[in-house]
Amino acid sequence: MNKDERIKRSLLKANHGHQRFILFFILFSFFLSIVQSMEMEEEMKRKEENASLVKENNAMEWMKEEEEEELVEKEEREGILYSKDFWHAGKKRKREEELEWKIDQYSKPIGWPWKEKEHHLRTIFISIASYRDPSCSSTLIDLFEKSSFPHRIFVGIYQQSKETEENTDCFHNLNQKTLGFLSNMKIMRIDSKDADGPTNARYWCSKMYSGQDYFMQIDSHTRFLEDWDQIQIKMWEDFNVKFPNPKRKLIISGYPMSYNASLSEYPDQYLTWTPCMCNGKFTSGLLIPGGTIVPVGTVYEIPFIGAGWIFGPGRMVQDVPFDNSLPHLFIGEELMHSVRLWTAGYRIFNPSLGILAHYYLRSNQPKVWDDVSSFWSKGEESKEKVRRALLFTEENGPFPKFYPPKYQVEQYYKHFGINVTTQQMRNIC
């Protein structure tokens, strides 16, 4: 075989190899395109299935929201739905609360005593409604003198008095130390003839709250244990550990122990016993909160607040605003506010130590129902509003400005063993 033939044969072999490579490449590309096409079809199917599931879920959510809206409309027609200004139905409210709490963790809003804030820096707002009370000024003196850090105490006073009664002015006869904290006190004065009961008076007191860490409500004839503010804050923090609440919505309340006008020192027996509002009595068409005393250190979750001693986070004024639509209301004030607090997520506990004392009898002191002859008759309309809101009657008529929905009221009754129909209540303590 000559040289030319060998070259020609080599070229032919190379050409055949090249053709085989091209054919292999074409077949491989064709196979790869088929595989990619199959994968794209599967991906499209998955997307279509996911879109179908999303659509189905959205349809179910929409149906649920429609059902919730129909329920709200039904409750509105039946007159049992609470005020829309502060309450919302169904998931919308739940989502708002979840979002609000996420924001709260970072923004640290006012009226929220955060764990990392040192106790002596935490501020307390004191709400005092006073009606022609000569003990009001001595209450202010005792309040500031007995506190560990008086500079962090702020007071809002709603004073109902007569111009001719100088001794019933809350700033009358204040001592030099208390006068030094006048800038920490706000006062609204009205003539006693225009007074419209304790419920509305508490409302006006709450309007003077200005973002303090804690809100505390007392009466204008109260005495205090030494270092009461430090004890009260530590008690509240201890309870938050013992009875954890995600939002620290915890309230300490009760009827303070009793004292008389001759009291010079805080009674020793109050360091042995503490009040507990753990029972009630059905009378006057409502459930009237009541209580007893228990050994110091004994703590229960209780169903009621006592208007003469309420202590909790300042945020409670925003979450459960005081109602000014119940003039001359006396019987029903505490029960109505207790139910509203509980249905807003707050939990109420009796104090573990009686750090306040209250002048109960005051037989020689004027009362608003003695001065206003029509007090009870005017208050009857407000009481009927409360009875409707709290399911004591099914009669048609107006409701309070703020009240929880029927199912939440029923949950409150079930939780504390209260039966409105049979007028029976479980004694918690």
Short mmCIF file of all heavy atoms in Angstrom, two decimals, residues 109-127 152-156 206 208-217 228-240 248-252 310-317 346:
data_model
loop_
_atom_site.label_atom_id
_atom_site.label_comp_id
_atom_site.label_asym_id
_atom_site.label_seq_id
_atom_site.Cartn_x
_atom_site.Cartn_y
_atom_site.Cartn_z
N PRO A 109 -44.38 50.50 74.18
CA PRO A 109 -45.33 51.61 74.29
C PRO A 109 -45.49 52.08 75.73
O PRO A 109 -45.11 51.39 76.68
CB PRO A 109 -46.63 50.99 73.77
CG PRO A 109 -46.48 49.52 74.07
CD PRO A 109 -45.02 49.23 73.87
N ILE A 110 -46.09 53.24 75.88
CA ILE A 110 -46.31 53.79 77.21
C ILE A 110 -47.34 52.93 77.94
O ILE A 110 -48.15 52.25 77.33
CB ILE A 110 -46.80 55.25 77.13
CG1 ILE A 110 -48.11 55.34 76.33
CG2 ILE A 110 -45.73 56.14 76.53
CD1 ILE A 110 -48.74 56.71 76.34
N GLY A 111 -47.28 52.99 79.26
CA GLY A 111 -48.23 52.24 80.06
C GLY A 111 -47.94 50.75 80.11
O GLY A 111 -48.81 49.96 80.44
N TRP A 112 -46.69 50.39 79.83
CA TRP A 112 -46.34 48.97 79.81
C TRP A 112 -45.05 48.78 80.60
O TRP A 112 -43.97 49.08 80.12
CB TRP A 112 -46.15 48.50 78.37
CG TRP A 112 -46.53 47.07 78.19
CD1 TRP A 112 -45.69 46.00 78.11
CD2 TRP A 112 -47.84 46.55 78.08
NE1 TRP A 112 -46.41 44.84 77.95
CE2 TRP A 112 -47.74 45.15 77.93
CE3 TRP A 112 -49.12 47.13 78.11
CZ2 TRP A 112 -48.85 44.32 77.81
CZ3 TRP A 112 -50.22 46.30 77.97
CH2 TRP A 112 -50.07 44.92 77.82
N PRO A 113 -45.11 48.32 81.86
CA PRO A 113 -43.91 48.19 82.70
C PRO A 113 -43.04 47.01 82.27
O PRO A 113 -43.35 45.86 82.55
CB PRO A 113 -44.48 47.96 84.11
CG PRO A 113 -45.85 47.41 83.88
CD PRO A 113 -46.34 47.95 82.57
N TRP A 114 -41.95 47.29 81.57
CA TRP A 114 -41.09 46.24 81.02
C TRP A 114 -40.15 45.70 82.09
O TRP A 114 -39.70 46.41 82.98
CB TRP A 114 -40.32 46.77 79.82
CG TRP A 114 -41.26 47.05 78.69
CD1 TRP A 114 -41.93 48.19 78.46
CD2 TRP A 114 -41.69 46.12 77.71
NE1 TRP A 114 -42.76 48.05 77.36
CE2 TRP A 114 -42.63 46.79 76.89
CE3 TRP A 114 -41.39 44.79 77.43
CZ2 TRP A 114 -43.25 46.17 75.81
CZ3 TRP A 114 -42.00 44.17 76.35
CH2 TRP A 114 -42.92 44.86 75.56
N LYS A 115 -39.84 44.42 81.96
CA LYS A 115 -39.05 43.72 82.99
C LYS A 115 -37.72 44.39 83.25
O LYS A 115 -37.25 44.45 84.39
CB LYS A 115 -38.83 42.26 82.55
CG LYS A 115 -40.09 41.42 82.48
CD LYS A 115 -39.76 40.01 82.01
CE LYS A 115 -41.02 39.17 81.87
NZ LYS A 115 -40.70 37.80 81.39
N GLU A 116 -37.09 44.88 82.18
CA GLU A 116 -35.73 45.41 82.34
C GLU A 116 -35.69 46.78 83.00
O GLU A 116 -34.63 47.26 83.38
CB GLU A 116 -35.01 45.46 80.98
CG GLU A 116 -35.66 46.39 79.97
CD GLU A 116 -36.68 45.69 79.09
OE1 GLU A 116 -37.19 44.63 79.50
OE2 GLU A 116 -36.98 46.21 78.00
N LYS A 117 -36.84 47.44 83.14
CA LYS A 117 -36.86 48.76 83.76
C LYS A 117 -36.77 48.62 85.28
O LYS A 117 -37.56 47.92 85.91
CB LYS A 117 -38.15 49.51 83.39
CG LYS A 117 -38.16 50.96 83.82
CD LYS A 117 -39.36 51.70 83.26
CE LYS A 117 -39.33 53.17 83.62
NZ LYS A 117 -40.48 53.90 83.05
N GLU A 118 -35.80 49.29 85.86
CA GLU A 118 -35.60 49.19 87.31
C GLU A 118 -36.82 49.67 88.06
O GLU A 118 -37.49 50.63 87.67
CB GLU A 118 -34.37 50.00 87.72
CG GLU A 118 -33.06 49.46 87.13
CD GLU A 118 -31.85 50.24 87.60
OE1 GLU A 118 -31.90 50.76 88.73
OE2 GLU A 118 -30.87 50.35 86.85
N HIS A 119 -37.11 49.00 89.17
CA HIS A 119 -38.35 49.26 89.91
C HIS A 119 -38.48 50.71 90.37
O HIS A 119 -39.55 51.30 90.31
CB HIS A 119 -38.45 48.32 91.12
CG HIS A 119 -38.77 46.91 90.75
ND1 HIS A 119 -39.25 45.98 91.65
CD2 HIS A 119 -38.68 46.26 89.56
CE1 HIS A 119 -39.45 44.83 91.03
NE2 HIS A 119 -39.10 44.97 89.77
N HIS A 120 -37.39 51.28 90.84
CA HIS A 120 -37.48 52.64 91.40
C HIS A 120 -37.70 53.70 90.31
O HIS A 120 -38.02 54.85 90.63
CB HIS A 120 -36.23 52.96 92.22
CG HIS A 120 -34.99 53.16 91.40
ND1 HIS A 120 -34.25 52.12 90.91
CD2 HIS A 120 -34.38 54.30 90.96
CE1 HIS A 120 -33.22 52.58 90.22
NE2 HIS A 120 -33.27 53.90 90.23
N LEU A 121 -37.54 53.30 89.04
CA LEU A 121 -37.77 54.24 87.94
C LEU A 121 -39.18 54.13 87.36
O LEU A 121 -39.57 54.96 86.53
CB LEU A 121 -36.74 54.00 86.83
CG LEU A 121 -35.28 54.23 87.20
CD1 LEU A 121 -34.38 53.88 86.02
CD2 LEU A 121 -35.04 55.67 87.64
N ARG A 122 -39.92 53.14 87.80
CA ARG A 122 -41.26 52.94 87.25
C ARG A 122 -42.26 53.92 87.88
O ARG A 122 -42.25 54.13 89.10
CB ARG A 122 -41.72 51.50 87.49
CG ARG A 122 -40.82 50.48 86.84
CD ARG A 122 -41.35 49.07 87.02
NE ARG A 122 -40.42 48.08 86.52
CZ ARG A 122 -40.67 46.78 86.47
NH1 ARG A 122 -41.84 46.32 86.88
NH2 ARG A 122 -39.78 45.94 86.01
N THR A 123 -43.10 54.50 87.05
CA THR A 123 -44.03 55.52 87.51
C THR A 123 -45.41 54.93 87.77
O THR A 123 -45.81 53.94 87.16
CB THR A 123 -44.15 56.64 86.46
OG1 THR A 123 -44.46 56.07 85.18
CG2 THR A 123 -42.84 57.41 86.36
N ILE A 124 -46.15 55.56 88.68
CA ILE A 124 -47.49 55.10 89.06
C ILE A 124 -48.45 56.28 88.99
O ILE A 124 -48.19 57.35 89.55
CB ILE A 124 -47.51 54.53 90.49
CG1 ILE A 124 -46.47 53.41 90.65
CG2 ILE A 124 -48.91 54.02 90.84
CD1 ILE A 124 -46.33 52.90 92.08
N PHE A 125 -49.55 56.08 88.30
CA PHE A 125 -50.64 57.07 88.27
C PHE A 125 -51.71 56.63 89.26
O PHE A 125 -52.16 55.49 89.24
CB PHE A 125 -51.25 57.19 86.88
CG PHE A 125 -52.43 58.12 86.81
CD1 PHE A 125 -52.25 59.49 86.66
CD2 PHE A 125 -53.73 57.63 86.93
CE1 PHE A 125 -53.35 60.35 86.62
CE2 PHE A 125 -54.83 58.48 86.89
CZ PHE A 125 -54.63 59.84 86.74
N ILE A 126 -52.12 57.57 90.13
CA ILE A 126 -53.14 57.28 91.14
C ILE A 126 -54.42 58.03 90.78
O ILE A 126 -54.42 59.25 90.65
CB ILE A 126 -52.69 57.71 92.55
CG1 ILE A 126 -51.27 57.22 92.86
CG2 ILE A 126 -53.68 57.22 93.60
CD1 ILE A 126 -51.15 55.74 93.03
N SER A 127 -55.51 57.28 90.61
CA SER A 127 -56.82 57.86 90.32
C SER A 127 -57.61 58.00 91.62
O SER A 127 -57.80 57.02 92.34
CB SER A 127 -57.58 56.94 89.34
OG SER A 127 -58.96 57.24 89.33
N ARG A 152 -41.93 59.55 91.70
CA ARG A 152 -42.49 58.79 90.59
C ARG A 152 -43.99 58.57 90.73
O ARG A 152 -44.60 57.83 89.97
CB ARG A 152 -41.76 57.46 90.43
CG ARG A 152 -41.65 56.58 91.66
CD ARG A 152 -42.69 55.50 91.75
NE ARG A 152 -42.37 54.56 92.82
CZ ARG A 152 -41.66 53.45 92.63
NH1 ARG A 152 -41.22 53.17 91.44
NH2 ARG A 152 -41.41 52.65 93.64
N ILE A 153 -44.62 59.21 91.73
CA ILE A 153 -46.06 59.10 91.95
C ILE A 153 -46.76 60.29 91.29
O ILE A 153 -46.39 61.45 91.51
CB ILE A 153 -46.40 59.08 93.45
CG1 ILE A 153 -45.59 58.00 94.17
CG2 ILE A 153 -47.90 58.90 93.66
CD1 ILE A 153 -45.88 56.60 93.69
N PHE A 154 -47.78 60.00 90.48
CA PHE A 154 -48.57 61.05 89.81
C PHE A 154 -50.05 60.81 90.14
O PHE A 154 -50.51 59.66 90.15
CB PHE A 154 -48.34 61.02 88.31
CG PHE A 154 -46.92 61.33 87.91
CD1 PHE A 154 -45.95 60.33 87.92
CD2 PHE A 154 -46.56 62.62 87.56
CE1 PHE A 154 -44.64 60.61 87.57
CE2 PHE A 154 -45.25 62.91 87.21
CZ PHE A 154 -44.29 61.91 87.21
N VAL A 155 -50.76 61.89 90.41
CA VAL A 155 -52.13 61.77 90.92
C VAL A 155 -53.10 62.55 90.04
O VAL A 155 -52.80 63.68 89.62
CB VAL A 155 -52.23 62.28 92.38
CG1 VAL A 155 -53.64 62.08 92.93
CG2 VAL A 155 -51.21 61.57 93.27
N GLY A 156 -54.25 61.94 89.75
CA GLY A 156 -55.35 62.62 89.06
C GLY A 156 -56.58 62.62 89.95
O GLY A 156 -57.06 61.55 90.34
N SER A 206 -59.57 58.95 84.89
CA SER A 206 -58.75 58.22 83.91
C SER A 206 -58.30 59.13 82.77
O SER A 206 -57.27 58.86 82.13
CB SER A 206 -59.51 57.02 83.36
OG SER A 206 -60.56 57.42 82.49
N MET A 208 -57.03 61.90 83.06
CA MET A 208 -55.83 62.60 83.50
C MET A 208 -54.60 61.70 83.47
O MET A 208 -53.47 62.15 83.72
CB MET A 208 -56.03 63.18 84.91
CG MET A 208 -57.01 64.35 84.94
SD MET A 208 -57.28 65.03 86.60
CE MET A 208 -58.77 64.15 87.07
N TYR A 209 -54.78 60.43 83.19
CA TYR A 209 -53.66 59.51 83.03
C TYR A 209 -52.81 59.95 81.83
O TYR A 209 -53.34 60.29 80.78
CB TYR A 209 -54.18 58.09 82.81
CG TYR A 209 -53.12 57.12 82.37
CD1 TYR A 209 -52.20 56.59 83.26
CD2 TYR A 209 -53.04 56.73 81.03
CE1 TYR A 209 -51.23 55.70 82.84
CE2 TYR A 209 -52.07 55.83 80.60
CZ TYR A 209 -51.16 55.32 81.51
OH TYR A 209 -50.20 54.45 81.09
N SER A 210 -51.50 59.92 82.00
CA SER A 210 -50.62 60.45 80.94
C SER A 210 -49.43 59.54 80.66
O SER A 210 -48.31 60.00 80.51
CB SER A 210 -50.13 61.86 81.32
OG SER A 210 -49.52 61.85 82.60
N GLY A 211 -49.68 58.23 80.62
CA GLY A 211 -48.66 57.31 80.15
C GLY A 211 -47.75 56.72 81.20
O GLY A 211 -46.68 56.18 80.87
N GLN A 212 -48.12 56.78 82.48
CA GLN A 212 -47.29 56.18 83.52
C GLN A 212 -47.26 54.65 83.37
O GLN A 212 -48.12 54.06 82.70
CB GLN A 212 -47.83 56.55 84.91
CG GLN A 212 -47.56 57.99 85.33
CD GLN A 212 -48.46 58.99 84.64
OE1 GLN A 212 -49.52 58.65 84.14
NE2 GLN A 212 -48.05 60.25 84.61
N ASP A 213 -46.27 54.02 83.98
CA ASP A 213 -46.11 52.56 83.86
C ASP A 213 -47.29 51.81 84.47
O ASP A 213 -47.73 50.79 83.93
CB ASP A 213 -44.82 52.11 84.55
CG ASP A 213 -43.58 52.62 83.83
OD1 ASP A 213 -43.52 52.46 82.60
OD2 ASP A 213 -42.69 53.17 84.50
N TYR A 214 -47.80 52.31 85.58
CA TYR A 214 -48.89 51.64 86.28
C TYR A 214 -50.07 52.59 86.48
O TYR A 214 -49.90 53.81 86.58
CB TYR A 214 -48.43 51.12 87.65
CG TYR A 214 -47.34 50.09 87.60
CD1 TYR A 214 -46.01 50.45 87.81
CD2 TYR A 214 -47.63 48.74 87.35
CE1 TYR A 214 -45.00 49.49 87.77
CE2 TYR A 214 -46.62 47.79 87.31
CZ TYR A 214 -45.31 48.17 87.52
OH TYR A 214 -44.31 47.23 87.47
N PHE A 215 -51.24 51.98 86.55
CA PHE A 215 -52.46 52.71 86.90
C PHE A 215 -52.99 52.12 88.20
O PHE A 215 -53.11 50.89 88.34
CB PHE A 215 -53.51 52.56 85.80
CG PHE A 215 -54.84 53.21 86.12
CD1 PHE A 215 -55.06 54.54 85.78
CD2 PHE A 215 -55.85 52.50 86.75
CE1 PHE A 215 -56.28 55.14 86.08
CE2 PHE A 215 -57.06 53.08 87.04
CZ PHE A 215 -57.29 54.41 86.70
N MET A 216 -53.30 53.00 89.15
CA MET A 216 -53.82 52.55 90.44
C MET A 216 -55.04 53.40 90.81
O MET A 216 -55.00 54.63 90.70
CB MET A 216 -52.74 52.69 91.52
CG MET A 216 -53.13 52.11 92.87
SD MET A 216 -51.73 52.17 94.02
CE MET A 216 -52.35 51.20 95.39
N GLN A 217 -56.10 52.75 91.22
CA GLN A 217 -57.32 53.46 91.62
C GLN A 217 -57.57 53.24 93.09
O GLN A 217 -57.55 52.12 93.58
CB GLN A 217 -58.51 52.94 90.80
CG GLN A 217 -59.83 53.63 91.15
CD GLN A 217 -60.96 53.16 90.25
OE1 GLN A 217 -60.99 53.46 89.07
NE2 GLN A 217 -61.89 52.40 90.82
N TRP A 228 -45.24 51.49 100.48
CA TRP A 228 -46.31 50.79 99.76
C TRP A 228 -46.03 50.65 98.26
O TRP A 228 -46.40 49.65 97.64
CB TRP A 228 -47.64 51.53 99.97
CG TRP A 228 -47.66 52.91 99.35
CD1 TRP A 228 -47.35 54.09 99.96
CD2 TRP A 228 -48.00 53.23 97.99
NE1 TRP A 228 -47.45 55.13 99.07
CE2 TRP A 228 -47.86 54.64 97.86
CE3 TRP A 228 -48.41 52.49 96.88
CZ2 TRP A 228 -48.11 55.30 96.65
CZ3 TRP A 228 -48.65 53.14 95.69
CH2 TRP A 228 -48.51 54.55 95.58
N ASP A 229 -45.38 51.67 97.67
CA ASP A 229 -45.16 51.63 96.21
C ASP A 229 -44.19 50.53 95.81
O ASP A 229 -44.42 49.80 94.84
CB ASP A 229 -44.69 52.99 95.70
CG ASP A 229 -43.49 53.55 96.45
OD1 ASP A 229 -43.28 53.15 97.62
OD2 ASP A 229 -42.76 54.38 95.89
N GLN A 230 -43.10 50.39 96.57
CA GLN A 230 -42.14 49.34 96.27
C GLN A 230 -42.77 47.95 96.49
O GLN A 230 -42.55 47.03 95.70
CB GLN A 230 -40.90 49.48 97.15
CG GLN A 230 -39.91 50.55 96.68
CD GLN A 230 -39.27 50.18 95.35
OE1 GLN A 230 -39.83 50.43 94.29
NE2 GLN A 230 -38.07 49.60 95.41
N ILE A 231 -43.54 47.83 97.57
CA ILE A 231 -44.18 46.55 97.87
C ILE A 231 -45.18 46.19 96.77
O ILE A 231 -45.24 45.04 96.30
CB ILE A 231 -44.89 46.62 99.23
CG1 ILE A 231 -43.88 46.85 100.35
CG2 ILE A 231 -45.68 45.33 99.49
CD1 ILE A 231 -44.51 47.14 101.71
N GLN A 232 -45.95 47.18 96.31
CA GLN A 232 -46.96 46.92 95.29
C GLN A 232 -46.34 46.51 93.96
O GLN A 232 -46.81 45.57 93.31
CB GLN A 232 -47.83 48.17 95.10
CG GLN A 232 -48.96 48.03 94.09
CD GLN A 232 -50.09 47.16 94.59
OE1 GLN A 232 -51.09 47.62 95.09
NE2 GLN A 232 -49.95 45.85 94.42
N ILE A 233 -45.28 47.18 93.56
CA ILE A 233 -44.62 46.84 92.29
C ILE A 233 -43.97 45.46 92.36
O ILE A 233 -44.08 44.66 91.43
CB ILE A 233 -43.59 47.92 91.91
CG1 ILE A 233 -44.30 49.22 91.53
CG2 ILE A 233 -42.70 47.44 90.76
CD1 ILE A 233 -43.37 50.38 91.25
N LYS A 234 -43.30 45.18 93.49
CA LYS A 234 -42.67 43.86 93.65
C LYS A 234 -43.73 42.76 93.66
O LYS A 234 -43.55 41.69 93.07
CB LYS A 234 -41.85 43.81 94.93
CG LYS A 234 -41.07 42.49 95.08
CD LYS A 234 -40.24 42.47 96.33
CE LYS A 234 -39.39 41.20 96.39
NZ LYS A 234 -40.19 39.95 96.30
N MET A 235 -44.86 43.04 94.32
CA MET A 235 -45.96 42.07 94.35
C MET A 235 -46.44 41.78 92.94
O MET A 235 -46.64 40.62 92.55
CB MET A 235 -47.11 42.63 95.20
CG MET A 235 -48.25 41.66 95.45
SD MET A 235 -49.68 42.49 96.27
CE MET A 235 -48.91 43.10 97.77
N TRP A 236 -46.59 42.82 92.14
CA TRP A 236 -47.07 42.66 90.76
C TRP A 236 -46.09 41.84 89.92
O TRP A 236 -46.48 40.96 89.16
CB TRP A 236 -47.30 44.04 90.14
CG TRP A 236 -47.96 44.01 88.81
CD1 TRP A 236 -49.30 43.93 88.54
CD2 TRP A 236 -47.30 44.08 87.52
NE1 TRP A 236 -49.52 43.94 87.18
CE2 TRP A 236 -48.33 44.03 86.53
CE3 TRP A 236 -45.98 44.18 87.11
CZ2 TRP A 236 -48.04 44.08 85.17
CZ3 TRP A 236 -45.70 44.22 85.76
CH2 TRP A 236 -46.72 44.17 84.80
N GLU A 237 -44.80 42.12 90.09
CA GLU A 237 -43.79 41.37 89.35
C GLU A 237 -43.74 39.91 89.81
O GLU A 237 -43.61 38.99 88.99
CB GLU A 237 -42.41 42.01 89.50
CG GLU A 237 -42.17 43.22 88.61
CD GLU A 237 -42.10 42.86 87.13
OE1 GLU A 237 -42.10 41.66 86.79
OE2 GLU A 237 -42.06 43.78 86.31
N ASP A 238 -43.84 39.68 91.12
CA ASP A 238 -43.84 38.31 91.64
C ASP A 238 -45.02 37.52 91.10
O ASP A 238 -44.90 36.34 90.76
CB ASP A 238 -43.87 38.32 93.16
CG ASP A 238 -42.56 38.81 93.78
OD1 ASP A 238 -41.54 38.86 93.05
OD2 ASP A 238 -42.56 39.14 94.98
N PHE A 239 -46.18 38.17 91.02
CA PHE A 239 -47.37 37.51 90.49
C PHE A 239 -47.19 37.15 89.02
O PHE A 239 -47.69 36.13 88.56
CB PHE A 239 -48.60 38.40 90.66
CG PHE A 239 -49.15 38.45 92.06
CD1 PHE A 239 -48.42 37.98 93.13
CD2 PHE A 239 -50.40 39.00 92.31
CE1 PHE A 239 -48.91 38.03 94.43
CE2 PHE A 239 -50.91 39.05 93.60
CZ PHE A 239 -50.16 38.57 94.66
N ASN A 240 -46.49 38.01 88.27
CA ASN A 240 -46.26 37.72 86.86
C ASN A 240 -45.37 36.50 86.66
O ASN A 240 -45.45 35.83 85.62
CB ASN A 240 -45.63 38.94 86.16
CG ASN A 240 -46.67 39.91 85.65
OD1 ASN A 240 -47.34 39.65 84.66
ND2 ASN A 240 -46.82 41.03 86.33
N ARG A 248 -48.45 40.13 80.20
CA ARG A 248 -48.36 40.70 81.56
C ARG A 248 -49.63 41.49 81.89
O ARG A 248 -49.57 42.52 82.57
CB ARG A 248 -47.10 41.55 81.69
CG ARG A 248 -45.84 40.70 81.65
CD ARG A 248 -44.61 41.49 81.26
NE ARG A 248 -44.22 42.54 82.18
CZ ARG A 248 -43.47 42.38 83.27
NH1 ARG A 248 -43.09 41.17 83.61
NH2 ARG A 248 -43.12 43.40 84.01
N LYS A 249 -50.76 40.98 81.43
CA LYS A 249 -52.05 41.62 81.72
C LYS A 249 -52.56 41.12 83.07
O LYS A 249 -53.48 40.31 83.16
CB LYS A 249 -53.06 41.31 80.62
CG LYS A 249 -52.82 42.05 79.32
CD LYS A 249 -53.95 41.79 78.34
CE LYS A 249 -53.88 42.70 77.15
NZ LYS A 249 -55.02 42.52 76.22
N LEU A 250 -51.96 41.62 84.12
CA LEU A 250 -52.26 41.15 85.47
C LEU A 250 -52.69 42.33 86.34
O LEU A 250 -52.05 43.38 86.32
CB LEU A 250 -51.03 40.45 86.04
CG LEU A 250 -51.20 39.67 87.33
CD1 LEU A 250 -50.26 38.46 87.35
CD2 LEU A 250 -50.90 40.55 88.55
N ILE A 251 -53.75 42.12 87.09
CA ILE A 251 -54.30 43.17 87.95
C ILE A 251 -54.39 42.66 89.38
O ILE A 251 -54.79 41.51 89.61
CB ILE A 251 -55.69 43.61 87.45
CG1 ILE A 251 -55.55 44.35 86.11
CG2 ILE A 251 -56.40 44.50 88.46
CD1 ILE A 251 -56.86 44.67 85.45
N ILE A 252 -54.02 43.51 90.31
CA ILE A 252 -54.16 43.22 91.75
C ILE A 252 -55.26 44.12 92.28
O ILE A 252 -55.24 45.34 92.07
CB ILE A 252 -52.84 43.46 92.50
CG1 ILE A 252 -51.75 42.52 91.96
CG2 ILE A 252 -53.03 43.27 94.00
CD1 ILE A 252 -50.37 42.82 92.48
N ILE A 310 -57.35 49.13 92.85
CA ILE A 310 -57.05 48.47 91.58
C ILE A 310 -55.64 48.86 91.19
O ILE A 310 -55.29 50.04 91.17
CB ILE A 310 -58.02 48.90 90.46
CG1 ILE A 310 -59.47 48.64 90.86
CG2 ILE A 310 -57.70 48.18 89.16
CD1 ILE A 310 -60.48 49.19 89.85
N PHE A 311 -54.81 47.87 90.87
CA PHE A 311 -53.43 48.14 90.46
C PHE A 311 -53.09 47.25 89.28
O PHE A 311 -53.29 46.03 89.32
CB PHE A 311 -52.46 47.88 91.61
CG PHE A 311 -51.02 48.21 91.28
CD1 PHE A 311 -50.53 49.50 91.48
CD2 PHE A 311 -50.17 47.25 90.76
CE1 PHE A 311 -49.21 49.81 91.17
CE2 PHE A 311 -48.85 47.55 90.45
CZ PHE A 311 -48.37 48.84 90.65
N GLY A 312 -52.57 47.86 88.21
CA GLY A 312 -52.18 47.09 87.04
C GLY A 312 -51.40 47.95 86.07
O GLY A 312 -51.12 49.14 86.34
N PRO A 313 -51.04 47.41 84.92
CA PRO A 313 -50.29 48.18 83.93
C PRO A 313 -51.12 49.35 83.43
O PRO A 313 -52.33 49.25 83.27
CB PRO A 313 -50.02 47.17 82.82
CG PRO A 313 -51.08 46.12 82.98
CD PRO A 313 -51.35 46.04 84.44
N GLY A 314 -50.45 50.48 83.17
CA GLY A 314 -51.17 51.66 82.70
C GLY A 314 -51.93 51.44 81.42
O GLY A 314 -52.93 52.12 81.15
N ARG A 315 -51.50 50.44 80.64
CA ARG A 315 -52.14 50.15 79.36
C ARG A 315 -53.61 49.77 79.53
O ARG A 315 -54.40 49.85 78.59
CB ARG A 315 -51.36 49.02 78.68
CG ARG A 315 -51.89 48.56 77.34
CD ARG A 315 -51.75 49.64 76.27
NE ARG A 315 -52.20 49.14 74.98
CZ ARG A 315 -51.44 48.46 74.13
NH1 ARG A 315 -50.20 48.19 74.44
NH2 ARG A 315 -51.93 48.05 72.99
N MET A 316 -54.00 49.32 80.73
CA MET A 316 -55.38 48.91 80.95
C MET A 316 -56.36 50.05 80.70
O MET A 316 -57.50 49.81 80.30
CB MET A 316 -55.55 48.38 82.38
CG MET A 316 -55.31 49.42 83.47
SD MET A 316 -55.30 48.74 85.14
CE MET A 316 -57.04 48.53 85.41
N VAL A 317 -55.93 51.29 80.88
CA VAL A 317 -56.81 52.43 80.63
C VAL A 317 -57.16 52.53 79.15
O VAL A 317 -58.26 52.94 78.79
CB VAL A 317 -56.15 53.74 81.12
CG1 VAL A 317 -57.05 54.94 80.87
CG2 VAL A 317 -55.80 53.64 82.60
N TYR A 346 -57.26 40.37 80.69
CA TYR A 346 -56.66 40.64 81.99
C TYR A 346 -57.10 39.58 83.00
O TYR A 346 -58.23 39.06 82.93
CB TYR A 346 -57.04 42.03 82.49
CG TYR A 346 -56.31 43.13 81.76
CD1 TYR A 346 -56.82 43.65 80.57
CD2 TYR A 346 -55.12 43.64 82.25
CE1 TYR A 346 -56.14 44.66 79.89
CE2 TYR A 346 -54.43 44.64 81.57
CZ TYR A 346 -54.95 45.14 80.40
OH TYR A 346 -54.28 46.12 79.72
#
